[in-house]
């Protein structure tokens, strides 16, 4: 699978992302730490066969803009939500959070429960994030 990367403008800067596949559920992959999109390549081809998948690089990672604002949970979740809306990726989402990304998935689901169908935690902390 060739990983095609695109750019989306948000109010906080430009994010690099990939959309692949076609089908339901709409899956959102949320990286841990400073992991790039390529970190998902072991599973991305398989899940893209039956679902639509959005993956992205947070600010400061690979082709996304450098950090301009603090990267606390609220900024990360709200920027992700803005990017999803801008590219037309529709809820409800199945959020997949790896490592630190699990905390952001958890926060997203608590802030926007009507947009989330479920969460998958991959080697992730599941403690509640306190903004």
């Amino acid at each position: 699978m060739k990983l095609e990367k695109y750019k989306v403008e948000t109010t906080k800067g430009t994010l690099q992302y990939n959309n692949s596949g076609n089908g339901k559920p709409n899956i959102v992959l949320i990286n841990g730490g400073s992991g790039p999109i390529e970190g998902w390549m072991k599973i991305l081809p398989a899940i893209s066969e039956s679902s639509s998948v959005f993956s992205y690089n947070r600010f400061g990672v690979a082709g996304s803009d450098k950090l301009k604002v603090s990267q606390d949970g609220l900024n990360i979740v709200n920027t992700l939500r803005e990017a999803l809306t801008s590219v037309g990726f529709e809820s409800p989402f199945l959020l997949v959070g790896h490592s630190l990304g699990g905390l952001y998935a958890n926060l997203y689901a608590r802030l926007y429960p009507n947009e989330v169908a479920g969460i998958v935690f991959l080697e992730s902390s599941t403690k509640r994030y306190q903004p």
Side-chain angles (χ1 to χ4, degrees), residues 49-115:
E49 289 178 12
S50 60
S51 296
S52 298
V53 184
F54 177 93
S55 55
Y56 77 112
N57 290 319
R58 282 194 297 276
F59 293 125
V61 178
S64 290
D65 281 353
K66 302 289 182 221
L67 302 173
K68 295 178 186 170
V69 297
S70 69
Q71 290 300 286
D72 60 60
L74 289 175
N75 276 336
I76 288 170
V77 165
N78 287 326
T79 300
L80 170 59
R81 186 171 186 243
E82 182 181 355
L84 292 167
T85 300
S86 292
V87 301
F89 205 71
E90 297 179 355
S91 66
F93 307 119
L94 175 61
L95 303 176
V96 179
H98 172 253
S99 187
L100 181 61
L103 294 175
Y104 303 135
N106 185 331
L107 180 59
Y108 194 115
R110 287 188 297 108
L111 292 174
Y112 308 107
N114 294 333
E115 297 178 16

Side-chain angles (χ1 to χ4, degrees), residues 16-68:
Q16 187 177 49
Y17 74 97
N18 169 265
N19 261 347
S20 57
N22 190 14
K24 300 290 182 196
N26 284 344
I27 299 173
V28 178
L29 303 177
I30 305 174
N31 301 345
S34 59
I37 295 170
E38 289 81 4
W40 295 106
M41 286 308 293
K42 287 186 178 183
I43 66 168
L44 188 57
I47 61 177
S48 295
E49 289 178 12
S50 60
S51 296
S52 298
V53 184
F54 177 93
S55 55
Y56 77 112
N57 290 319
R58 282 194 297 276
F59 293 125
V61 178
S64 290
D65 281 353
K66 302 289 182 221
L67 302 173
K68 295 178 186 170

Side-chain angles (χ1 to χ4, degrees), residues 4-26:
E4 298 198 28
K5 297 178 195 168
Y6 309 97
K7 302 256 179 156
V8 60
E9 292 291 327
T10 72
T11 54
K12 306 269 194 258
T14 301
L15 290 175
Q16 187 177 49
Y17 74 97
N18 169 265
N19 261 347
S20 57
N22 190 14
K24 300 290 182 196
N26 284 344

